[in-house]
C-alpha cells in the first residue's frame, strides 16, 4: 500500500523568499514520486518526477526536489518565490509498475505576497 | 500537440438526475484514467483503462457510476442518479504506455469537469 502526507495545507511566503513544501510518503515498494501544480480552474501540470537515478530532481519554473529514502521524504523547494508561483501543489506516489495510478496527497496551497 | 480534452467544463444538475462527462486523451496514449477531486483534496482514481479494457475499477461506485472506452480512444464517465456527494471535479488523464509497454510514467491531465449537484 502507498500513501502520501503533505505537511501544511497552506504555506505563505514573501516574493523572493525560499519556498519549501513538504511531502512524506509510505510505500512497500521502491516509489516513483511526483509533484504536480494546479492553478485555479485548470488541470494538473507536472513539475518534476523521481523514478530512478539521481535523487535531486530539477523541474520546471525553477523548482527542485530531493528524494531521501532514509527520511521517506520528497520535499519541493524553490530558492526565490515569484508571484506566479501561487497555486495548489500536490505530491503523488505510484508503484514502479507501468500504468498504475497516482496516489495523491491532500495538497498544499502556496500564497506569495509582495 | 493537443492536450487532454474534457467536456463540459462545468455542469450543474439537480440530485437524482443523470450526467455524463467526456474525455479525449492525447493521441496515441493507450492508458486513460478518471480521477475524482473533492474540494480541498487530492485526486483519487475512479477507473483506469488500457486501450479499451478497464484494468482497475475497484474504486468506481458501480451502483451509480459507469464508464466506457469503446474504441480505445475517447471515454465517457456517467453518473445515474447523481447525489449531493458527487459534487467534485472529475479529471481525466492519459499516459502513452501500458503495463505491457512501459513508458515515461508521466500522466497528462485535462482541465477537468466541475460538477455541482443541487
Amino acid at each position: 500500500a502507498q500513501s502520501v502526507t503533505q505537511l501544511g495545507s497552506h504555506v505563505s511566503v514573501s516574493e523572493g523568499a525560499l519556498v519549501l513544501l513538504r511531502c512524506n510518503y509510505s510505500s512497500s515498494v521502491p516509489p516513483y514520486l511526483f509533484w504536480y501544480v494546479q492553478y485555479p480552474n485548470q488541470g494538473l501540470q507536472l513539475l518534476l518526477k523521481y523514478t530512478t537515478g539521481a535523487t535531486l530532481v530539477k523541474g520546471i519554473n525553477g523548482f527542485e526536489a530531493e528524494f531521501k529514502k532514509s527520511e521517506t521524504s520528497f520535499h519541493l523547494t524553490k530558492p526565490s518565490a515569484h508571484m506566479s508561483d501561487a497555486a495548489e501543489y500536490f505530491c503523488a506516489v505510484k508503484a514502479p509498475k507501468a500504468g498504475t495510478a497516482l496516489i495523491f496527497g491532500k495538497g498544499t496551497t502556496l500564497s506569495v505576497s509582495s | 500537440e493537443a492536450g487532454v480534452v474534457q467536456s463540459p467544463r462545468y455542469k450543474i444538475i439537480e440530485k437524482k438526475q443523470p450526467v455524463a462527462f467526456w474525455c479525449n486523451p492525447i493521441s496515441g496514449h493507450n492508458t486513460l484514467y478518471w480521477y475524482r477531486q473533492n474540494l480541498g483534496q487530492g485526486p483519487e482514481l475512479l477507473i483506469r483503462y488500457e486501450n479499451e479494457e478497464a484494468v482497475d475499477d475497484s474504486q468506481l461506485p458501480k451502483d451509480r457510476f459507469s464508464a466506457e472506452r469503446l474504441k480505445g480512444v475517447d471515454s465517457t464517465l456517467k453518473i445515474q442518479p447523481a447525489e449531493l456527494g458527487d459534487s467534485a471535479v472529475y479529471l481525466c488523464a492519459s499516459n502513452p504506455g501500458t503495463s505491457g509497454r512501459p513508458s515515461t510514467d508521466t500522466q497528462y491531465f485535462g482541465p477537468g469537469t466541475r460538477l455541482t449537484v443541487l
Side-chain angles (χ1 to χ4, degrees):
Chain A
Q2 297 172 305
S3 65
V4 170
T5 301
Q6 291 185 240
L7 300 175
S9 58
H10 289 87
V11 171
S12 296
V13 299
S14 299
E15 192 172 22
L18 171 71
V19 175
L20 171 60
L21 304 182
R22 300 178 186 273
C23 172
N24 288 88
Y25 70 90
S26 173
S27 180
S28 57
V29 297
Y32 285 5
L33 294 158
F34 303 77
W35 275 99
Y36 279 84
V37 62
Q38 187 176 35
Y39 297 100
N41 299 316
Q42 295 186 27
L44 283 79
Q45 179 184 7
L46 180 68
L47 277 177
L48 50 79
K49 65 180 181 181
Y50 168 79
T51 54
T52 58
T55 57
L56 181 62
V57 180
K58 296 185 183 300
I60 62 172
N61 301 337
F63 285 94
E64 63 182 36
E66 186 171 11
F67 170 60
K68 292 187 176 181
K69 183 178 179 180
S70 61
E71 299 178 8
T72 61
S73 69
F74 191 57
H75 302 330
L76 182 70
T77 61
K78 182 175 180 178
S80 177
H82 193 272
M83 297 293 285
S84 61
D85 295 327
E88 184 105 22
Y89 291 80
F90 292 94
C91 181
V93 64
K94 71 179 291 294
K97 183 179 179 181
T100 54
L102 293 164
I103 308 297
F104 286 89
K106 292 185 176 182
T108 297
T109 300
L110 176 65
S111 299
V112 182
S113 58
S114 57
Chain B
E1 177 182 87
V4 177
V5 178
Q6 291 188 247
S7 68
R9 292 292 314 276
Y10 304 90
K11 188 73 175 180
I12 301 174
I13 61 172
E14 295 190 347
K15 62 181 181 181
K16 302 185 180 180
Q17 294 300 307
V19 65
F21 315 123
W22 177 79
C23 172
N24 191 22
I26 294 173
S27 178
H29 281 200
N30 300 304
T31 299
L32 182 148
Y33 311 78
W34 283 102
Y35 289 86
R36 177 169 59 187
Q37 184 177 16
N38 292 315
L39 185 65
Q41 302 292 319
E44 295 179 328
L45 180 72
L46 289 173
I47 189 168
R48 171 168 69 100
Y49 282 93
E50 288 189 4
N51 299 307
E52 65 278 3
E53 180 183 1
V55 295
D56 184 357
D57 64 355
S58 58
Q59 302 303 310
L60 189 72
K62 297 182 182 61
D63 57 336
R64 297 183 300 107
F65 285 66
S66 64
E68 61 184 13
R69 193 185 185 200
L70 295 176
K71 296 184 179 179
V73 180
D74 55 349
S75 175
T76 302
L77 177 68
K78 299 179 181 178
I79 308 175
Q80 181 172 8
E83 297 180 350
L84 295 177
D86 296 330
S87 295
V89 176
Y90 292 83
L91 294 165
C92 180
S94 68
N95 177 289
T98 65
S99 56
R101 291 195 295 143
S103 70
T104 66
D105 285 291
T106 298
Q107 295 181 22
Y108 299 84
F109 284 80
T113 296
R114 181 177 297 276
L115 173 66
T116 301
V117 182
L118 303 176

